[in-house]
Amino acid sequence: EIIPGPHAAHPPLSPPASGEPNARTSSQPPTPRLATMCRGEAASSASGRRAAGGKPAEEEVRVVLYGKSVDVSSFARVHPGGAKVLRIFQDRDATEQFAAYHSASARRMLESMLRDAPDAPQPPQQSDAQQRPAASALPSQSALGRAFDELTDELRAKGLFEPHYLDELFKISLVLVPYAVGVVLVGSNAAPLVGALLIGFACYMSGWVSHDYLHHSVFPVHAGGAASLGEEATSKQLKQARANVRLNNAVGYWLGWIQGYEELWWKARHNTHHVVTNEHGNDPDIKTAPVLVFIRNNPTIARGLSWVQRWQQFYYLPVLSIMDLYWRLESHAYLFMRPQAKYWRRTLLLLLSDAFTLWLFHGNYRYLLLMTMLRGFATGVVVFATHYGEDILDGGDHGMTLVEQTALTSRNIKGGHLVNVLTGFISLQTEHHLWPTMPTAHLEEARKHAMAFFHKHGLEYREGSLLECVRLNIKALGFEHLQHLM
């Protein structure tokens, strides 16, 4: 991977000059920002330690949660989100991320861990780019962090975290109906091309729908407010929350199976992306080198491009057609690299999914290839549109709140309700990253509140049409305008 040049701090979030029209709702490219790999990153140093005899030393992993420094070392191996994300948040405030993702039962589990944990050290005082008074609060305890908690509690009180099962039934129908018709048309050889296109569309939509279930945004898993640990939840509510976690995971798994993807692979990759969005060295989604290296006007990166990579702005769109195949292979590799004594059932089921697809398209593999390429292209265009042209942050503890980080790293796709449905509401990326467990049926309403919050606190709200987002990505890949600096 090309390592960027000199460190750049996260960009200022100052409000626009007086009279500047709608400056915070932007469809313009972000200010170029690149960051270096954090050389002192705790994850790298901790994993590199060795004990006598060459065995890895037992590493101590401490994460800051609700103002406490919590030792999660013994929990790291069984953490459903993986040990890597805990190491990333070594000595770093993860309160907002924990509150956004964890169920009421998980919050209750944390209570005992907090009980004997020492207070977390406060960060050194510093004035930020908005020229606010110097503050020493952790991000979650800052004025902005507390204001965002209040907004989340307000949305919860308005019912925006309540399930909308009719909408979920509609979305499931967009997967199962075209998939079933497509299987019949391909299997009977009556209209294999039409059938392949229908299966491709079903798998495309299945990606978005399984995404919702695996984010636990369909069957509710929360109880209490944004800053709550779930202590007010009853035992019945906690039991229901645990059952809903399992139900969400089960539906998400089978929707992934249709596509040939493994649920655990998706969680390990995507959930990490959510909590460290666009952080260099931490976010797995932006590790696209050597195929694509996003320059973002940085001459240091441009100098490192090979002669092939200097054409990347031209091959960017065509290469998206291999994304479905790439994700399938990565998903399989995730399982194959794990001890099969534990994972053999999942491996067998994934291979059965492959076998069914190959059997179904026997004699029509050209249509299978076409379906895979079209599905990969459609998914890739949408996925890349919402983050890859935005700011890249330092891989260490940048000290930003969740809402500040989201403002810098996410962009919505404009186009109305139809675009939202056909992109699985990934088009409302800002709202989804702020409230990942909110049912997609409520994201359009949440957008109004998010925009007002951003405007009030001087944050830029980024959005643009799909075409504008694609143009931003292409511009972030280009290097010709930097040749005089190279």
Side-chain angles (χ1 to χ4, degrees):
E1 184 174 356
I2 304 298
I3 302 297
H7 168 74
H10 63 270
L13 300 174
S14 54
S18 178
E20 188 174 344
N22 200 25
R24 298 185 186 93
T25 304
S26 171
S27 61
Q28 299 302 314
T31 305
R33 290 291 186 271
L34 271 296
T36 59
M37 180 77 77
C38 182
R39 291 183 174 84
E41 189 178 342
S44 298
S45 61
S47 62
R49 292 197 295 267
R50 293 275 167 179
K55 294 182 180 181
E58 182 69 28
E59 58 179 307
E60 182 180 70
V61 182
R62 285 190 171 273
V63 177
V64 177
L65 292 164
Y66 296 93
K68 299 286 188 177
S69 177
V70 182
D71 185 354
V72 296
S73 308
S74 60
F75 183 64
R77 291 186 179 181
V78 296
H79 180 228
K84 177 183 176 181
V85 70
L86 296 179
R87 291 194 296 267
I88 289 174
F89 276 90
Q90 174 90 333
D91 299 322
R92 178 174 165 183
D93 189 5
T95 306
E96 293 181 302
Q97 290 77 7
F98 179 89
Y101 284 92
H102 290 77
S103 68
S105 57
R107 297 184 186 200
R108 179 65 64 86
M109 287 176 59
L110 180 63
E111 288 181 9
S112 60
M113 302 175 73
L114 289 173
R115 196 168 295 127
D116 299 322
D119 291 338
Q122 295 292 314
Q125 290 195 355
Q126 57 182 356
S127 295
D128 63 16
Q130 286 180 276
Q131 298 181 346
R132 295 175 293 196
S136 60
L138 295 164
S140 62
Q141 297 176 346
S142 66
L144 184 60
R146 293 184 185 278
F148 179 68
D149 277 349
E150 293 173 2
L151 173 61
T152 301
D153 287 342
E154 177 187 339
L155 299 186
R156 195 178 301 279
K158 289 179 178 289
L160 269 61
F161 284 85
E162 293 300 314
H164 195 302
Y165 294 126
L166 187 61
D167 181 70
E168 302 302 337
L169 183 62
F170 169 70
K171 291 190 299 183
I172 282 284
S173 71
L174 292 179
V175 176
L176 299 183
V177 173
Y179 185 80
V181 174
V183 167
V184 171
L185 293 178
V186 173
S188 65
N189 211 31
L193 175 58
V194 175
L197 294 176
L198 287 172
I199 294 174
F201 175 77
C203 288
Y204 167 80
M205 292 304 301
S206 180
W208 307 134
V209 180
S210 62
H211 167 272
D212 299 339
Y213 281 92
L214 295 178
H215 268 303
H216 300 168
S217 66
V218 178
F219 301 106
V221 299
H222 279 179
S228 167
L229 284 176
E231 58 269 14
E232 72 276 31
T234 65
S235 59
K236 182 178 180 180
Q237 288 175 320
L238 291 172
K239 183 178 180 180
Q240 186 61 55
R242 287 190 288 268
N244 284 349
V245 166
R246 293 191 293 269
L247 186 56
N248 280 313
N249 288 342
V251 178
Y253 172 84
W254 288 108
L255 288 171
W257 185 87
I258 289 175
Q259 307 166 66
Y261 295 160
E262 164 55 37
E263 165 223 354
L264 296 179
W265 158 79
W266 184 92
K267 283 186 173 182
R269 180 187 180 96
H270 190 74
N271 289 348
T272 302
H273 153 73
H274 258 265
V275 297
V276 290
T277 308
N278 279 25
E279 290 185 13
H280 184 71
N282 292 338
D283 183 353
D285 273 11
I286 62 172
K287 294 180 180 180
T288 56
V291 178
L292 297 171
V293 180
F294 286 87
I295 299 168
R296 297 176 181 84
N297 297 332
N298 187 291
T300 304
I301 296 182
R303 280 194 291 270
L305 296 181
S306 69
W307 69 270
V308 174
Q309 291 167 333
R310 295 187 180 193
W311 293 88
Q312 62 184 357
Q313 67 267 41
F314 301 107
Y315 66 67
Y316 162 65
L317 286 176
V319 84
L320 293 180
S321 62
I322 69 169
M323 293 308 299
D324 181 44
L325 178 60
Y326 170 77
W327 286 324
R328 284 175 183 260
L329 292 175
E330 192 178 69
S331 178
H332 285 60
Y334 178 90
L335 277 184
F336 294 160
M337 292 171 64
R338 274 150 180 78
Q340 292 306 303
K342 180 179 180 180
Y343 291 93
W344 69 269
R345 292 181 181 84
R346 287 179 176 270
T347 301
L348 179 61
L349 284 171
L350 192 59
L351 292 176
L352 286 175
S353 173
D354 298 336
F356 174 75
T357 301
L358 292 173
W359 170 80
L360 180 65
F361 281 90
H362 179 70
N364 289 303
Y365 290 135
R366 62 189 182 279
Y367 298 133
L368 174 60
L369 178 62
L370 176 65
M371 178 198 79
T372 300
M373 293 178 65
L374 290 177
R375 185 270 169 103
F377 178 82
T379 306
V381 165
V382 174
V383 168
F384 275 68
T386 54
H387 292 296
Y388 289 78
E390 309 310 313
D391 295 70
I392 299 297
L393 309 179
D394 182 71
D397 186 358
H398 45 61
M400 281 185 282
T401 62
L402 175 63
V403 69
E404 286 175 302
Q405 181 165 0
T406 302
L408 293 175
T409 59
S410 300
R411 182 178 296 270
N412 285 1
I413 303 172
K414 295 192 297 186
H417 184 69
L418 181 60
V419 168
N420 292 339
V421 171
L422 292 179
T423 58
F425 287 83
I426 295 299
S427 49
L428 297 176
Q429 191 69 194
T430 295
E431 291 70 27
H432 171 59
H433 269 247
L434 294 176
W435 303 291
T437 59
M438 180 181 289
T440 57
H442 302 309
L443 289 178
E444 291 176 353
E445 177 65 23
R447 176 178 177 270
K448 303 173 186 176
H449 296 274
M451 291 184 71
F453 185 88
F454 277 43
H455 186 273
K456 177 180 179 180
H457 293 278
L459 303 172
E460 182 186 18
Y461 188 92
R462 296 175 178 175
E463 59 181 355
S465 68
L466 182 59
L467 181 59
E468 288 170 334
C469 292
V470 170
R471 285 174 175 170
L472 286 180
N473 285 342
I474 292 175
K475 185 174 182 179
L477 292 166
F479 82 104
E480 291 90 344
H481 56 291
L482 300 175
Q483 286 187 2
H484 67 288
L485 299 175
M486 295 170 59

